[in-house]
Each structure stands twice: as structure tokens, then as C-alpha cells.
Amino acid sequence: MQNELKATLNLIKEDKVVFKMALLIAVLTLVLLVSASTSPAIALSLNHYEKTCPDVESIVAKAVERATMKDKTVPAALLRMHFHDCFIRGCDASVLLYSKGNNKAEKDGPANLSLHGFYVIENTKKEVEAACPGVVSCADILAFAARDAVVLSGGPTWEVPKGRKDGRTSKASETIQLPAPTFNISQLQQSFSQRGLSMDDLVALSGGHTIGFSHCSSFQNRIRNFNATHDIDPTMPPSFAASLRNVCPIKNKAKTAGATMDPSSTAFDNTYFKLILQGKTLFSSDQALLTNPKTKGLVYKFASSKQSFEKAFVNSMIKMSSLNGGQEIRKDCRVVN
């Protein structure tokens, strides 16, 4: 009987040790997971340049404003550039790197060939370097510029979290990860969720389409040979489709041809959402927002309230722009140190 009791006690002791080890492993795993998932957000702060480069945001804002006075398409270009940067390897300014040798960079990937305005960030970086050498990342400058672009277009302002690092890797092949204008709702949801962004973020950030211009190639699929049954996307009003077909003839020799995202293409407003409800947006991915109850409800909400849209957009921009995986502060935005 005593031997059996001793054996039982030994088993309990062993179980306790195993349990403690399992608990310790579980806790360590959780710590690692939490630190891995939240470290980019923790690394950023609102006062990051308070002592090292206090005037940086003013320098960037003035540079973006000067560029916009010369070219009204600059704000939309900078906002789109920031989005395209953040969706590949996080907001690390990898989209600004130039192709070198055998490496074809992101900016030369098919999805990014229509990006423009790189000179604005490059010139602004030179001004910032003159004031605070080696302190401010290109990724932060692009994040400031995207915010300033929205403000200059009549949209909301917000405090940009700071402290991003610039990445050393940029591959054109990775731009296939960008959400395409032909995406359906499930493809959009997957693309955003892979980056920790919700359905709310998807609809709010899609509102960035309220400013800018699109080339015919991005919506050609909706106005000709849509599917086996319809030549034109049936969700598109015939008169709107006809106007786009006029802008984009079959033999479209002018690759610059296209249409503005909405009639008030330089004003950051909620017109985009009103157009979705009328079927008058350019992309399949825009109209796809009506094919899911959650996103459809948000479209109606933002169409009826500019204030609701702006609040959601700001929250989602801060969330998206906090994705960061860079390693250095680049001296020149076009090349790694």
C-alpha cells in the first residue's frame, strides 16, 4: 500500500513539473507572439522627432504644398504611393527604391508603373537631411506627405505616429500582392486581413479613391467583353459605360487615357461612396463593396455622412501606416545605405 502511495505521489510531482514546463513554454510563446505582432506599433510614437528634428513635419508640409501648386495631381499620387508602400513589406519606403543591376524594384512592377510623384519625396528628403542629417526615415516622410496630401485636398488631418525605419529590400515581383481593381469582395477581404486590416478598414481606405485618376487598363474589363453574357458590366449604367468607352477606344494608342475617380477628383470628400450607390465608380473592386452586407452598410453610412467617413479613414490610415518592418534610416530615398 505504501509503495503504491509513493508511486502516486511521484507521478503527481512529475505531472507538476511537466505542467509547469508546459505553462512556461505557453507563456514564452505568447510573449513572443505578442511582441512580434505589436512591435511595429510600440516602436512608433507621436513625439519621436521632438528633440532630434522638431520641424520635420513643417518642412514636409511646405514641400508637398509647393509641389501641389505646380501639379494638382500630386496629392492623389502621394496618397496612393503610401498605400502601395504599406501593402508590400509594411510602410518601409521600399516603393521608393530604384531598380539596380539584376534587381527590379517595386516601383517598376506592373501594378506600380502608373505611380508618380517620386520626385516630391526625393526632394523633400534632401530638405529634411539638410536640417536633420540621418535622423528622419523616408518611410516617415512618405507617411507625413500622404497625410498632408489629404489635408491639401480638403480632407481631415491627424497625428502621424513616427519612428518607421526604411527597408533594404524591394522586389517588383512582390507587387502582385497589391489588391487589384478587378478583385471581388472575398479577394479584397483576404488581402486586407493578411495585413491585419478589417472590413471597416477596407471600406474606409477605399474612400481614398475620392481623389485621383485611373488609366483605361484598370477598368477596361467592365466596359468591353465583361463576360460571356454581357459586353458591359450590368452594374454599370449604360450612359456611364458609353462615356468611358468614348474615353477608352478599342485601339487605345494613348496609354495615358483614362478617367478621374470622381467628378470632384481633387477634393477629398464622400462623393466616391455616393457614386458606388449609383453604379458610377470605375473599378470592379469599388462596386464589389455592395456585394457584402457589412461593407454595403458602411458604404451607405459613409455616403450619408462625410464626418463618419473622415473619422473612419483617419483611424484606418493610422492603423495601416503603423505596419513597419524596416531596418535603417536611408540617406537617399532611392538607394539603400
Side-chain angles (χ1 to χ4, degrees), residues 22-43:
L23 187 63
L24 182 62
I25 291 167
V27 169
L28 286 171
T29 303
L30 184 63
V31 168
L32 287 170
L33 284 170
V34 169
S35 62
S37 64
T38 60
S39 57
I42 292 169

Side-chain angles (χ1 to χ4, degrees), residues 130-151:
C132 325
V135 172
V136 184
S137 66
C138 297
D140 272 351
I141 290 172
L142 182 51
F144 298 147
R147 184 267 314 273
D148 298 335
V150 171
V151 174

Side-chain angles (χ1 to χ4, degrees), residues 112-150:
N112 284 340
L113 292 177
S114 59
L115 288 182
H116 68 101
F118 291 99
Y119 71 93
V120 180
I121 304 299
E122 292 162 9
N123 292 343
T124 305
K125 172 65 171 173
K126 289 174 185 174
E127 288 186 52
V128 172
E129 281 295 302
C132 325
V135 172
V136 184
S137 66
C138 297
D140 272 351
I141 290 172
L142 182 51
F144 298 147
R147 184 267 314 273
D148 298 335
V150 171

